Amino acid sequence: MSTDRIALKGLRARGRHGVLPAERELGQEFVVDATLFLDTAPAAASDDLTSTVHYGELAEALVKVVEGEPVQLVETLAQRLADVCLAYERVLSVEVSVHKPAAPIPLPFDDVIVTIERSRP
């Protein structure tokens, strides 16, 4: 696996994901971190954006998933986000973290984070 990485950290979007009806109705902010593992040498050699992953387009695609069809589990949302990242043919593997800082937990806490790693088959 390549050691080159492109990381997008702290991407914020409002979604309606969760098990509780109030989460689906009111929605809340989710924060996404995605680290793509790929070979950036072709892009470096050519200085050509088409030889890498356009992180602006990636950010827009990830936000569409968060703002899109609600799911119950953050794990499901993380998988959908990983699938978007792996749709870029240059991406060999990805690590995605989904933060749910406003999770309905009746105790003081900083954040709930689900992190997954996925690779091409």
Side-chain angles (χ1 to χ4, degrees):
M1 176 169 47
S2 174
T3 59
D4 299 343
R5 296 179 188 113
I6 296 175
L8 178 60
K9 303 284 184 186
L11 182 65
R12 297 180 185 326
R14 190 161 185 83
R16 297 178 178 275
H17 311 287
V19 175
L20 301 177
E23 294 179 290
R24 297 273 181 137
E25 185 179 323
L26 302 172
Q28 61 189 287
E29 182 179 70
F30 291 83
V31 182
V32 175
D33 301 327
T35 301
L36 313 178
F37 295 86
L38 68 160
D39 183 1
T40 62
S46 67
D47 198 31
D48 182 2
L49 181 59
T50 62
S51 298
T52 188
V53 174
H54 187 309
Y55 47 79
E57 291 177 359
L58 173 64
E60 291 176 4
L62 295 175
V63 164
K64 282 184 184 178
V65 171
V66 175
E67 292 177 343
E69 179 186 353
V71 296
Q72 291 189 53
L73 300 179
V74 177
E75 293 85 344
T76 305
L77 179 58
Q79 181 64 56
R80 289 183 178 184
L81 294 166
D83 291 342
V84 167
C85 296
L86 289 170
Y88 290 86
E89 69 178 81
R90 297 189 184 281
V91 176
L92 304 172
S93 63
V94 64
E95 180 180 278
V96 173
S97 295
V98 178
H99 302 253
K100 190 174 179 180
I105 299 172
L107 299 164
F109 73 100
D110 289 331
D111 202 357
V112 170
I113 307 166
V114 171
T115 299
I116 65 170
E117 296 177 19
R118 297 294 184 266
S119 299
R120 291 193 174 284

